[in-house]
Every structure is written in structure tokens, then in C-alpha cells.
Amino acid sequence: MTDRFFGGIKTGSTGVSVHLLVRRKSDNAEVTGLSFNTAGVVASYCRQGETPTAIALAAQTAGGGWTSGGFAEVDAAAMPGLYRLDLPDAAVTTGADFVTLAFLSANNFAFMERIPISSDVIQSGDSFARLGAPTGASLAADVSAVIAKTNNLPPDPADASDVAGAIATVPAAVLAAAATTPIAANMTQIKSIPLS
């Protein structure tokens, strides 16, 4: 059921199963042994702004493939009172913000649960592509390309010793002239220095 649940159920999902917990009214103990055809067992759903719709319960197993209205006990020993219910697809179709699920059984507390129906886009795949990267672009490939370029930089390109070293390579005559001679004259002098 990948990407169907996101703080609720994604609108328009199909084949959704939920769990519900059944407790006895007399002592609040978990109820075991219920099945889809147990007398008094009734399930329904009510979408926002609509009237209740009965769910036709059907035989199911804890790990079986989805079937509309499928109902089964999960594990009486390991998870007493927990049951699986396969929601009809119509319960979570578009057009409502929530659906309320109801499950009733004789001598037991009613199970009522309001479940949000979300229209949010649930992200999957490459985040970079979803931000508008060109077709075929890959975040991993782009990061590798950046790393390949930055690996060639000196460990500290703005280090003061590097700056001092660069200044030391300027001929003393140019530095002396710069302090007393106009810029145009300095440029003429710089041009006159032979390249080694």
C-alpha cells in the first residue's frame, strides 16, 4: 500500500485495509473470536456531509489480499482484540475531507474512528527531479560533479600567507613607484619589466 497513508488516507486510493480494536463493555477486555458473519457484527462508513453506508462484510485472513469488506481477526494470542477491515474503495474516493468508520458488535463497545482523506501529493522518487531539474538530471551526479571541481581548490585559498607570498613576488621597483608615481606612469613601468 505504498503512498496511500499520509496523516490519513490519500484520496482516491484503492485496496486500503485498516485495523480496529474491539473491547467488551462489561470489563473493557479485548474481544477475540469475531468473524465477518458473527451475529450482531455490523460495519459502516460515513463520508463528510453524506449519510452512512453499510459495509458488506466478507471472509478475510490477516495477511490475505484486499477484498472489499474483508474482515478478519489479526492474531488472538499476540494481538487480542485487533481486527483487519478492508475498506470499500468508495469510502476514500475524492470529494470529502474525512470518512468516519463504525464497527458494532453485540455486548462490545462501538468502534468509531474519523480518518482524514488527504489530497496532499505524497513524494516518491528523486527530490531533485521534483524541483524542476532537466530530464535525466540526478542529484547524486550533480553533487559528484561539484566535488570533482572543488577537489582541485587549495585547502585555504584565502590564507594570509598565500596573499603575502603573492605580494612578495612583485618587483620592488614597481612597489616603490606605486607609492610616488601616478597610475599611468606605473602602468608604463610595469610594461617595461621583461617577463622571465
Side-chain angles (χ1 to χ4, degrees):
M1 294 184 204
T2 304
D3 290 348
R4 291 177 186 165
F5 290 88
F6 185 71
I9 297 175
K10 185 179 179 182
T11 185
S13 292
T14 58
V16 176
S17 299
V18 296
H19 285 152
L20 49 92
L21 182 65
V22 181
R23 293 184 178 275
R24 195 163 42 239
K25 287 181 180 178
S26 61
D27 58 5
N28 201 37
E30 296 85 358
V31 176
T32 59
L34 298 178
S35 66
F36 79 100
N37 57 0
T38 299
V41 167
V42 178
S44 59
Y45 66 86
C46 184
R47 288 164 52 83
Q48 176 188 22
E50 300 179 11
T51 56
T53 300
I55 299 175
L57 297 178
Q60 180 58 285
T61 61
W66 177 90
T67 182
S68 182
F71 179 77
E73 187 168 22
V74 173
D75 189 316
M79 295 185 167
L82 191 67
Y83 293 84
R84 167 186 170 172
L85 176 62
D86 296 344
L87 296 180
D89 291 341
V92 295
T93 192
T94 57
D97 294 327
F98 64 85
V99 60
T100 301
L101 174 64
F103 179 83
L104 309 177
S105 54
N107 303 315
N108 302 317
F109 287 112
F111 175 90
M112 299 277 185
E113 183 73 22
R114 189 180 79 167
I115 304 171
I117 303 174
S118 174
S119 60
D120 290 340
V121 175
I122 299 174
Q123 181 175 332
S124 61
D126 189 342
S127 297
F128 191 63
R130 286 187 173 270
L131 294 174
T135 302
S138 163
L139 183 58
D142 284 359
V143 169
S144 295
V146 171
I147 290 173
K149 292 186 179 296
T150 57
N151 280 346
N152 295 325
L153 294 174
D156 188 358
D159 191 285
S161 61
D162 293 340
V163 175
I167 292 174
T169 62
V170 177
V174 172
L175 293 176
T180 58
T181 311
I183 293 175
N186 287 344
M187 293 302 296
T188 302
Q189 187 173 358
I190 291 171
K191 288 179 182 178
S192 68
I193 299 172
L195 298 176
S196 56

